[in-house]
Amino acid sequence: MTVKGALFDFSGTLFRIESAESWLRTVLERSGTAVPDEDVLRYARNLEEAGALPGGAPPLAVPPHLEEVWAVRDRGAEPHRAAFTGMAREVPLPRPELYDALYDRHMEPAAWRPYPDAREVLGELRRRGVRIAVVSNIGWDLRPVFRAHGLDPLVDAYALSYEHGVQKPDPRLFQAACDALGVAPGDAVMVGDDRRADAGAAALGCRVHLVDHLPVDRRPDALRAVLGLPPDAATAP
């Protein structure tokens, strides 16, 4: 069976968020907050362990008072902001306004870098006539990120959890992407980095191909394997 549609996750698959240190330093500098370097490193480490950076490392633990909003964080813009600013507030920072500033920073295109092979793979799929969708658990509009990095012309449709009110691994989000592309799930492959969330596409009959969630400089060409997938095989969990 020929692949007619390719569904791609966003964070950790096509793009990677900046490091927690870069994220924090940018916000501190903009706000004019002077912090000793050793404190910056400590704050960044604590924020990362708290899971406060969207697209970054998962939290070591979710505080009981945030468990409910954390579980549904990708179903809407408000729970997404509440969940991540709530996690950030578990780390004492010098100024209270920094928490919202940190959240706002992660939505900026400059906070994201595409993986080195993303453009090549999306472009080659388009050349082959494969339709492409981005399927993401997210609480904000990521289209400006794709536009800023010149990848938006290579994407036919976006299925974003906060716009549909459902989040992966719910099959309805993958179905929405397939419907937008006009392809049957059995003719599509889902490419992602999350063994639980992205593999939910298999429930619809999509093939699943997983890549490692690694920094950009440590994963130069993992997406290229998608171009060589044999007709009836994929890397499944």
Side-chain angles (χ1 to χ4, degrees):
M1 186 179 295
T2 301
V3 171
K4 298 179 181 178
L7 317 181
F8 285 88
D9 173 53
F10 167 55
S11 174
T13 301
L14 291 175
F15 282 83
R16 173 81 181 205
I17 190 67
E18 65 186 333
S19 69
E21 181 184 346
S22 171
W23 174 56
L24 177 60
R25 285 188 185 278
T26 298
V27 170
L28 290 173
E29 290 171 7
R30 286 179 179 176
S31 67
T33 305
V35 177
D37 197 61
E38 60 270 22
D39 287 344
V40 173
L41 296 176
R42 176 171 56 85
Y43 290 144
R45 181 177 64 253
N46 291 343
L47 286 165
E48 185 168 28
E49 291 177 352
L53 173 59
L60 295 182
V62 179
H65 67 281
L66 291 174
E67 286 179 352
E68 185 175 347
V69 71
W70 186 257
V72 299
R73 64 192 180 279
D74 295 314
R75 296 184 191 172
E78 291 184 6
H80 195 270
R81 178 180 284 271
F84 283 101
T85 56
M87 295 299 249
R89 287 188 174 92
E90 294 298 300
V91 179
L93 294 178
R95 297 169 63 175
E97 62 267 29
L98 293 175
Y99 299 108
D100 279 312
L102 284 168
Y103 184 84
D104 292 340
R105 164 61 184 175
H106 102 275
M107 296 187 287
E108 297 176 10
W112 296 87
R113 289 177 60 195
Y115 281 92
D117 54 347
R119 182 184 304 275
E120 171 194 354
V121 170
L122 295 179
E124 176 59 20
L125 288 171
R126 287 294 293 268
R127 189 191 69 80
R128 296 180 185 184
V130 176
R131 292 180 60 76
I132 296 167
V134 172
V135 186
S136 179
N137 279 352
I138 199 163
W140 49 277
D141 187 4
L142 53 72
R143 295 173 183 86
V145 176
F146 280 78
R147 289 196 291 268
H149 291 276
L151 297 186
D152 183 64
L154 302 175
V155 178
D156 296 294
Y158 295 87
L160 310 182
S161 61
Y162 85 104
E163 292 182 339
H164 291 270
V166 295
Q167 59 193 49
K168 297 180 290 185
D170 192 316
R172 288 177 292 177
L173 197 61
F174 305 107
Q175 186 65 62
C178 290
D179 290 346
L181 296 182
V183 302
D187 293 330
V189 58
M190 174 66 206
V191 184
D193 67 296
D194 190 311
R195 186 171 294 274
R196 176 180 176 273
D198 296 316
L204 290 176
C206 296
R207 280 158 282 182
V208 176
H209 181 78
L210 297 174
V211 294
D212 293 325
H213 187 124
L214 293 171
V216 168
D217 58 359
R218 291 177 53 198
R219 213 197 74 193
D221 55 9
L223 292 172
R224 291 177 181 167
V226 177
L227 299 176
L229 283 175
D232 293 308
T235 302

